[in-house]
Every structure is written in structure tokens, then in C-alpha cells.
Amino acid sequence: MTDTTAAATTTSGAIAAGLATITTEGAVLDTWYPAPRLDEAPGSAGTERLSPEQAAELLGEHAAGAVGPDPARGVEVVAVRTVISGLAENPLDAHDVYLRLHLLSHRLVRPHGLSLEGIFGLLANVAWTSAGPVPVDRVEQARLAVRAAGGHLAVTSVDKFPRMTDYVTPPGVRIGDADRVRLGAHLATGTTVMHEGFVNFNAGTLGVSMVEGRISAGVVVGDGSDIGGGASIMGTLSGGGKEVVSIGERCLLGAQAGIGISLGDDCVVEAGLYVTAGTRVTLPDGSVVKARELSGAHNLLFRRNSTTGAVEALQRTGAWGGLNAALHQHN
Ligand SMILES: CC(C)(COP(=O)(O)OP(=O)(O)OC[C@H]1O[C@@H](n2cnc3c(N)ncnc32)[C@H](O)[C@@H]1OP(=O)(O)O)[C@@H](O)C(=O)NCCC(=O)NCCSC(=O)CCC(=O)O
Ligand SMILES: O=C(O)C1=N[C@H](C(=O)O)CCC1
Ligand SMILES: [Mg+2]
């Protein structure tokens, strides 16, 4: 796993061997790729099943014990090798999508560095359980089978994406609640995601950050920025939003604040203030602009004037204090 996040050239592809969970009807529930890699000339796209010898060679001697049918869950685990010929091309199937999500979480590709077009149609909805992925219509059968063996089936989520840490556990990060980070999140070294924080797929941090709020799909947060408790960064997957928001370096999004425009570097949003693209913002000279006109500007403080109620953007002076180094340097 590299830590430099080679900005993926969109011409490159990827190759990985992995273990896939497949239902008796042939639906792919997941594929885990322990060591994916980028490749400039990977060959033709697609996924092939591996022979036991190939699986041992590419995944290690323990692969043999990890494959085979699991009647309790109604699935079979198979060893596969997946090739993506070009990351700019759209994903072909669920194996391909899983490899792309792994590339992001392994920090081999930054958010927006590959196509994720159509992924919701390619991914199965899965019950993510303590016994592994289970088809949603087989949960009760799996629960009984696990109980019959003296166990207890925990279902942590029912979703198209598993939590990242069950597939990729990047070094140099802290995550208070693993359920809050989906596979496909990109967490740079020095990032801490506290329990209230959330990081979606194709989104995340590019440097040291404190994340106590929500980083929506497509959003990237620059080095040195702090996303305060319960803060919201608007996404574009639902609700009509069109602008993919980014947060620059050394920004502070205050607790319970929200932002629907991009922030440049060294910006602060007051705790509790939600700045949407259409918010009318008063500037120091008294003029009023829509917040979208300030999108990406550096060094601004957004606040709601507590005597007039007007949202104001002020040129920032001084520092908000920055991140507490002690919370990040030992990640
Ligand atoms: C907006 C700021 C940045 C302002 O702070 P500053 O330190 O820059 O300024 P200040 O010293 O408070 O104020 C400077 C001057 O501006 C005035 N002033 C300040 N805010 C004002 C407002 N809203 N309207 C009108 N005037 C205002 C002050 O009275 C003062 O005036 P004079 O000059 O006349 O004296 C702050 O209030 C804020 O919201 N910070 C965010 C902190 C945060 O949320 N961190 C994330 C923690 S996350 C967390 O804690 C987790 C908890 C959780 O889960 O919720
Ligand atoms: O990184 C941590 O750990 C943090 N802890 C604080 C707490 O426990 O309240 C909040 C900020 C980050
Ligand atoms: Mg939990």
C-alpha cells in the first residue's frame, strides 16, 4: 500500500487477485483484493476464476482454506483474478467495481481518479454479517445455521457497500467507528475519523485531517482541515445537488455547520451556519452575492451575524489554531 496516492492516470488500468462471494444464483456479493496494483498495460478487462494452484500462487497458501461452498449462507467463495484495462472506462461488473473501491481505499487512486459510472446497478444489496456477506433473502437461514453451531449472527448493515476496514485497513489513520467509513473511502495518513464522522466512497482526505462530520460521495478535503462535529458537506447523489464540493487546505468547518459550495484554502465556517449555493452573503463593502460566487475562494470566514441575522463573508485574519498535532502524529 503506498501513501502518496499516485494521481491515477486515467489511461492506466489495474490487476488484482481476490476472493469473491457468489450466491447459488450467480450474484457477486463482494470481492476482496488484498494487494491490488495499477498497471499501464494490464491486458483485457474481465474476471476469471483461478485454479487452486493459481490461487495459492497469487493469494498465498491459505487461499485453499478460504474457498469453497458455505451452505449456511447459500454462497460459494471462489478465487478470482480481475483486470481493469482502463480506469476511465466504466465498470463492467461487481468484481470490477470492488477492485475500483479497493484502489481508492488503498490510496492507489484519488477520488475522481477513476470511473464509477453505474455502480449502484452493478452492486448487490447485501447483509453484512459476522459470518460474512449474506444474500438479504437468506439472513434467517444463516442466522439459524450460525445459532445451531453455538454462535450468534450479527448483521452490521444491509447495504451495497461494506465498511472499509473489513476489506482495507490503511496505516496511519484512526477510525472511531468502522461502520462510518464505506469501502471506497480515501483516508490519507494522519486522518482521524471520530465516531460522528462519516466518509463515503470516492471521497475523503488528502492529508492530515480531523473528521467529525460527514464527507459525502465525491467530496475531497485538503491537508490540515478539520470537519467539526456533526458538520455536513453536501453531496450530489440525491437531493438535486450538482456541484461536487471540495474543501481546501487548513479549513475549519465548525461543529454542526454545513457547506454547499467549495472552500478554498484557509477558510472557516462558523459553528452551526449552513452555507448553501444560493445563500445571499454580505461582503465587507456591504454588497451582497450568492455564495456560489465565492466557491473556491481562499481565506474567508463565513458567519451568521448574531445581531442582524445576515450571513457574512469576512476576509480572515489570524489563525483558527489549526489541528492539534498530538491527535494526529501518532496515528
Ligand atoms: C465563527 C468563529 C470562527 C469566530 O471565532 P473567532 O475566535 O474567530 O472570533 P471571536 O474571538 O469569537 O470573535 C471575534 C469578533 O467577532 C465577533 N463575532 C464572533 N462571532 C460573531 C457572530 N456570529 N456575529 C457577530 N459577531 C461575531 C465577536 O464578538 C468578536 O467581536 P470583537 O472583535 O468586537 O470582540 C467561531 O465562533 C466558530 O464558530 N468556530 C468554530 C469552532 C468549531 O466548531 N470547531 C469544531 C469543533 S468539533 C467539536 O467540538 C465536536 C463537538 C460536537 O460534536 O459538536
Ligand atoms: O482524535 C481524537 O481522539 C479526538 N478526541 C476528542 C474527544 O475525544 O473528544 C475530539 C477530537 C478528536
Ligand atoms: Mg457500530
Side-chain angles (χ1 to χ4, degrees), residues 178-271:
D179 288 331
R180 307 278 300 173
V181 180
R182 269 175 155 181
L183 181 63
H186 179 286
L187 301 185
T189 285
T191 296
T192 293
V193 184
M194 289 295 289
H195 306 68
E196 188 71 2
F198 168 73
V199 187
N200 213 330
F201 67 91
N202 195 34
T205 58
L206 302 181
V208 178
S209 273
M210 177 58 68
V211 181
E212 300 195 72
R214 302 187 297 278
I215 300 181
S216 303
V219 172
V220 289
V221 172
D223 183 35
S225 288
D226 184 309
I227 309 302
S232 155
I233 306 173
M234 273 191 193
T236 46
L237 290 182
S238 178
K242 294 278 181 289
E243 191 201 339
V244 179
V245 171
S246 62
I247 306 290
E249 300 189 352
R250 301 173 301 280
C251 289
L252 171 60
L253 192 52
Q256 299 286 5
I259 194 78
I261 60 168
S262 292
L263 298 179
D265 298 333
D266 301 294
C267 290
V268 173
V269 181
E270 181 187 27

Side-chain angles (χ1 to χ4, degrees), residues 2-329:
T2 72
D3 195 27
T4 51
T5 312
T9 66
T10 45
T11 54
S12 77
I15 302 178
L19 294 175
T21 310
I22 301 183
T23 68
T24 44
E25 293 80 23
V28 175
L29 299 188
D30 76 344
T31 311
W32 168 55
Y33 298 103
R37 63 182 170 87
L38 297 176
D39 195 302
E40 288 299 325
S44 341
T47 293
E48 61 181 15
R49 291 202 186 189
L50 298 176
S51 67
E53 296 73 27
Q54 289 171 316
E57 186 194 328
L58 295 175
L59 291 163
E61 55 175 319
H62 296 301
V67 299
D70 180 352
R73 290 187 289 148
V75 302
E76 182 180 5
V77 175
V78 300
V80 297
R81 179 176 181 273
T82 298
V83 172
I84 297 173
S85 53
L87 294 171
E89 289 154 29
N90 295 343
L92 296 177
D93 57 20
H95 300 292
D96 182 320
V97 176
Y98 267 89
L99 178 48
R100 288 168 198 254
L101 298 174
H102 279 73
L103 293 171
L104 289 160
S105 291
H106 275 278
R107 305 185 296 220
L108 292 167
V109 177
R110 284 186 180 189
H112 304 292
L114 44 70
S115 170
L116 291 172
E117 195 63 36
I119 63 172
F120 280 87
L122 295 173
L123 294 175
N125 193 27
V126 174
W128 302 100
T129 82
S130 48
V134 176
V136 176
D137 61 1
R138 293 214 180 86
V139 171
E140 300 315 328
Q141 169 195 314
R143 212 188 308 273
L144 183 58
V146 170
R147 282 179 178 242
H152 176 87
L153 189 79
V155 181
T156 51
S157 67
V158 181
D159 191 10
K160 295 205 168 207
F161 300 79
R163 57 189 174 200
M164 180 185 77
T165 53
D166 288 353
Y167 291 76
V168 182
T169 310
V173 307
R174 294 190 291 128
I175 302 172
D177 183 346
D179 288 331
R180 307 278 300 173
V181 180
R182 269 175 155 181
L183 181 63
H186 179 286
L187 301 185
T189 285
T191 296
T192 293
V193 184
M194 289 295 289
H195 306 68
E196 188 71 2
F198 168 73
V199 187
N200 213 330
F201 67 91
N202 195 34
T205 58
L206 302 181
V208 178
S209 273
M210 177 58 68
V211 181
E212 300 195 72
R214 302 187 297 278
I215 300 181
S216 303
V219 172
V220 289
V221 172
D223 183 35
S225 288
D226 184 309
I227 309 302
S232 155
I233 306 173
M234 273 191 193
T236 46
L237 290 182
S238 178
K242 294 278 181 289
E243 191 201 339
V244 179
V245 171
S246 62
I247 306 290
E249 300 189 352
R250 301 173 301 280
C251 289
L252 171 60
L253 192 52
Q256 299 286 5
I259 194 78
I261 60 168
S262 292
L263 298 179
D265 298 333
D266 301 294
C267 290
V268 173
V269 181
E270 181 187 27
L273 170 63
Y274 211 120
V275 180
T276 65
T279 300
R280 289 168 196 270
V281 182
T282 303
L283 301 179
D285 65 3
S287 62
V288 176
V289 298
K290 289 187 181 165
R292 61 169 60 86
E293 294 177 43
L294 302 173
S295 185
H298 302 301
N299 228 59
L300 291 180
L301 164 65
F302 291 91
R303 71 176 190 192
R304 184 176 294 281
N305 188 301
S306 56
T307 43
T308 68
V311 175
E312 300 171 336
L314 308 178
Q315 208 62 37
R316 280 194 58 238
T317 48
W320 56 269
L323 297 172
N324 177 354
L327 299 182
H328 301 274
Q329 66 200 11

